[in-house]
Amino acid sequence: MSNPRILLLGPPGAGKGTQSRNVVETYGVDHITTGDALRANKDVETDYGKPREYMDKGELVPDPVVNEIVVAALEDADGGFVLDGYPRNLSQAEFLDEHATIDVVPLLDVGREELIRRLTGRRVCPECGATYHVAFDPPETTDVCDECGSALIQRDDDTEETVRERLSVYEENTAPLIEFYEERGLLARVDGEGTPEEVWHDLRLTIEDALATGGQ
Ligand code: AP5
């Protein structure tokens, strides 16, 4: 099947962004990420206030704001796509059901302590978006982007306190989607605790399997 439509599910720090880049490179699909879209518009006034007011506390941005971003991105994606960070609750999943067909929902499984280590150690490039980790994937020069030479920053919501809140929000709001997609026969669990290369190896097999089965 060409143009796969993939929904990458997993808690904060599971590696959705890291693995989405592999999916985009391999399948040539669009990367639809509500987190990046919201970060680029953190201080834009909406009917519900600024996205920053929710994001910096680790809370979900109200559904209408996020749904609008996704509908526009889906309209632009004429091939397939990989959804990263959306949907995050049942009402978003039901909204998505009305606007797109999904081929497979890989779930990146990673334990809580590892998630905290990954998120509190993450550093990002504000210019080109490259992502690093101080221990697992450091840049060649400390705090300098290998790709474009800019100074790396820590995301405002990657402090330990906010990370713990994001994980609670995930458990309460997003984890129920596992059952939602299991019931539809779309969920495929992937061990997300190996190296990024090992995770990609397993994720790719999972995607290929699902597409071979669903595409015939
Ligand atoms: P968003 O940006 O979507 O963040 P998230 O879901 O919390 O996910 P992350 O980007 O933190 O983690 P990731 O899984 O992409 O991991 P990554 O690959 O970077 O959302 C941020 C906020 O926006 C939300 O809190 C909310 O306020 C709002 N928002 C977004 N979408 C929304 C929606 N739909 N509804 C409402 N609000 C919404 O990896 C993490 C780190 O680990 C990196 O340092 C990386 O180098 C490292 N790493 C990755 N893989 C491995 C590995 N295999 N081994 C070791 N290290 C690894």
Side-chain angles (χ1 to χ4, degrees), residues 173-193:
N173 296 273
T174 315
L177 299 187
I178 295 172
E179 200 182 325
F180 181 90
Y181 288 111
E182 239 163 9
E183 282 170 1
R184 283 161 175 71
L186 292 173
L187 195 89
R189 288 175 189 271
V190 174
D191 179 358
E193 293 225 351

Side-chain angles (χ1 to χ4, degrees), residues 41-204:
N41 295 285
K42 258 182 134 176
D43 291 312
V44 171
E45 269 307 340
T46 74
D47 291 345
Y48 304 85
K50 297 176 180 175
R52 174 187 293 282
E53 292 161 25
Y54 304 89
M55 298 172 79
D56 287 358
K57 287 187 276 184
E59 294 169 1
L60 296 185
V61 174
D63 292 345
V65 176
V66 183
N67 289 343
E68 192 181 326
I69 292 172
V70 170
V71 166
L74 286 170
E75 277 168 11
D76 284 350
D78 54 7
F81 53 79
V82 53
L83 270 166
D84 160 8
Y86 182 96
R88 268 175 136 98
N89 58 29
L90 280 171
S91 111
Q92 291 181 13
E94 282 157 5
F95 181 86
L96 179 64
D97 247 5
E98 292 165 16
H99 290 83
T101 303
I102 302 296
D103 298 313
V104 60
V105 182
L107 168 67
L108 296 177
D109 253 334
V110 178
R112 187 179 171 86
E113 289 312 310
E114 174 70 8
L115 294 171
I116 293 171
R117 268 194 296 277
R118 287 188 188 178
L119 290 172
T120 53
R122 173 167 55 188
R123 298 292 180 271
V124 294
C125 176
E127 292 304 318
C128 72
T131 300
Y132 302 87
H133 189 281
V134 291
F136 307 139
D137 182 20
E140 278 172 26
T141 308
T142 307
D143 289 339
V144 176
C145 180
D146 291 346
E147 307 290 327
C148 71
S150 303
L152 300 179
I153 57 164
Q154 183 173 36
R155 258 169 57 172
D156 293 335
D157 59 350
D158 276 348
T159 59
E160 185 158 345
E161 190 191 352
T162 309
V163 164
R164 289 187 187 276
E165 174 62 17
R166 287 162 62 198
L167 293 174
S168 301
V169 167
Y170 173 83
E171 283 307 324
E172 193 176 324
N173 296 273
T174 315
L177 299 187
I178 295 172
E179 200 182 325
F180 181 90
Y181 288 111
E182 239 163 9
E183 282 170 1
R184 283 161 175 71
L186 292 173
L187 195 89
R189 288 175 189 271
V190 174
D191 179 358
E193 293 225 351
T195 64
E197 294 73 24
E198 288 166 345
V199 176
W200 171 234
H201 176 265
D202 291 355
L203 175 60
R204 186 172 183 169

